[in-house]
Amino acid sequence: MVQEKKHVMSTALLLRFFYVATIVLLSSCYKGDILDADQDPGTPFNPNEEIFVEKFMPTDGRKGTRILIYGRNFGNDPSKVKVTIGGQPSKVISVKGESLLCLCPSKAYDGDVKVAVIDEDNTEVKSGVCEAKFEYRFNYVVTTFLGATYENNTKWDVLAGPFDNCGAFENMRWLKFDPNSGFDDLYWSGTKTAFRHVDFKKEYVDIMITNLDEIDCVDFTPDGDMILTDNHASDTKTGIYLFTRESGFTERISLCAARGLRNAVAHPTNRKIYFTPYHHGQIETYNLDTGEVLAEATLPHTRTEYKTIWHPLGKYAYVIFNGKHCIYRVDLNLETNMLESPYLMCGQETVAGYQDGMGSGAKLAGPEQGIFVKNPEYAGQEEEYDFYFCDKDNHCIRILTPEGRVTTYAGRGGGLTSGYVDGELRTQALFNKPAGIAYDEKRNCFYVGDMNNHRIRKIAPEE
């Protein structure tokens, strides 16, 4: 035990030594906006010698990252030094002969790091390029993809038309790509006039006509047919319809009756449709082959909105309790092809709030649609997907990890942070009750149905 304590103490002292040494080393490199604490001006530029760019640190970063570049013959006048990274001009903060400090510019895609000294006419006298390349990390930003309003966001037109003249959008509750379209056909639903189709090839937005009361969800079967829900107040009226792909989604087939239906989704492989009527508090299934309807899992509450989203591999689903401010998980028993008992994944049941955290340590407020997105950092692990979801009443987009940790991805978060602002994900962007979300694998971006802003917002790498 004594030897263990001595080992721990010696390790702690060693770590402290390396910490102090690192701070001293960094301080010798730059302090604040200068490169050296002793204000050494460095060697002036010599026009008879070449500029040599040896290395830089860090080797990767985003816009605004501070970069130290090392080499020879940089001079000591920042106004005469020109740095480009990936062909984009960088702001030079300090220069001292064999080193300089600059900022990573926007869109530094190519990664070439070039240092030049210029004359009074802004002409390059000498220049050098580093053999290594800087790896640019994209900044993701929120922009407006579709939609326009007027009179201070209080009026808008619902139009079919090209992207630059398609009006604005109502009650965007659910966004879904047609899986057979190569991410070129996006649908969203809410009410009759809110059932829309975005044709990316034609850059055109349609108004879909179905004669249904209120379409809260759109999905597709493994065969490629479209599933629509009809939210109404009758126990005997059809709640789930199938529109055949062969007919161009015009032929309508009644599947089963359901009352107060907000959500019906197809499993990726087992040919069942999963749905939860508002009053039942059960996850029920409709078998596409037999027409059989079964109640497979009991949920904790009746008379609340549930939204089920299946994992892409079909091994489990998240059940979003909109009115109870939490998300449950329900696993599929692969032997019986039946659902197991749901359990809490994150949030505090019946407690609305805003807090990032683990499991029940997180607080949500009116969560809505979510989407599974593969995370490259999980490659080779048992679970490779994160879950992005709209936290509507917190006016933000959150991430749920496989372990149950909730973080805020876009928007300010909290009930008093609504608005309409494009910009950087966490410090600038504002949403107003986002409810629907889809991920575009072809274009590497998210689309968000920003309900009270009546627009489709886009989260993508900066352009």
Side-chain angles (χ1 to χ4, degrees), residues 28 179 206:
S28 69
D206 296 309

Side-chain angles (χ1 to χ4, degrees), residues 14 51 60 93 134 147 154 179 211 219 229 234 296 309 314 327 335 351:
L14 187 61
I51 291 177
D60 65 339
I93 298 175
F134 181 80
T154 61
N211 296 320
D219 201 23
T229 61
S234 172
E296 292 199 14
I309 296 101
I327 298 176
E335 294 182 1
V351 178

Side-chain angles (χ1 to χ4, degrees), residues 194-213:
F195 184 32
R196 311 293 293 275
H197 165 226
V198 179
D199 188 325
F200 283 86
K201 289 184 177 178
K202 296 180 180 179
E203 296 190 350
Y204 195 88
V205 180
D206 296 309
I207 298 175
M208 306 293 288
I209 306 299
T210 63
N211 296 320
L212 302 183
D213 291 336

